[in-house]
Amino acid sequence: MSRLLQSTCGRAAARRISTAAAVRQPSTIPRSLAMTLSTRTPSPTSSTTTTRCARRMYSSEQQPKSKSPSSEFYKTFGRPIAKVFLLAIFTYQVAYYFWVRLEQDEMKRDMEATIAELEARISELEVAGQKK
């Protein structure tokens, strides 16, 4: 089995597999290795077999992805930008609330002044009507 492993995956991979197999129970063989060993017996000079075996050995490792500059920017500054944006919205809403409240207070004072003026005029007209 050792010679078949060396011819399939190379010496370094055979060493890793044999040490892993020594740690595991003797009856447990990795599924990808068992399928490779049972389906074909490659020649030692075949490069496609070595590539396929290496692909299987390193299939669980993920290749580092290149990150775009915009994703790096938002990863770094996304939270502060969101905080500033939310603070700006909150400030605008508070300012708008007080502006509307002041405008309503002004309208209320104008209405009360108009009502007081009209009541004064009505009382003048009542007094003038009683004198005649």
Side-chain angles (χ1 to χ4, degrees), residues 106-119:
E106 183 182 355
M107 288 170 47
K108 188 175 181 181
R109 273 187 268 125
D110 288 345
M111 286 286 206
E112 288 174 354
T114 305
I115 290 172
E117 184 181 313
L118 290 173
E119 285 177 348

Side-chain angles (χ1 to χ4, degrees), residues 8-9 13 16 48-59:
T8 306
C9 299
R16 281 193 303 261
T48 58
T49 309
T50 307
T51 307
R52 287 181 184 167
C53 184
R55 202 174 323 142
R56 287 184 181 160
M57 293 300 294
Y58 299 111
S59 64

Side-chain angles (χ1 to χ4, degrees), residues 59-125:
S59 64
S60 62
E61 293 181 14
Q62 295 187 6
Q63 299 296 328
K65 295 180 180 178
S66 62
K67 298 179 181 177
S68 68
S70 61
S71 69
E72 284 296 317
F73 175 80
Y74 286 112
K75 190 174 187 181
T76 304
F77 298 108
R79 198 171 287 228
I81 288 172
K83 286 180 183 178
V84 168
F85 182 69
L86 289 174
L87 185 63
I89 289 174
F90 176 74
T91 304
Y92 172 77
Q93 291 295 323
V94 168
Y96 181 75
Y97 170 77
F98 284 116
W99 177 71
V100 168
R101 181 149 181 186
L102 287 172
E103 190 174 7
Q104 286 178 349
D105 290 345
E106 183 182 355
M107 288 170 47
K108 188 175 181 181
R109 273 187 268 125
D110 288 345
M111 286 286 206
E112 288 174 354
T114 305
I115 290 172
E117 184 181 313
L118 290 173
E119 285 177 348
R121 187 157 183 202
I122 288 174
S123 62
E124 285 176 12
L125 289 174

Side-chain angles (χ1 to χ4, degrees), residues 4-14 17 33 36 49-50 53-54 57:
L4 186 58
L5 281 176
Q6 286 179 1
S7 66
T8 306
C9 299
R11 288 183 183 154
I17 292 172
L33 180 62
T36 303
T49 309
T50 307
C53 184
M57 293 300 294

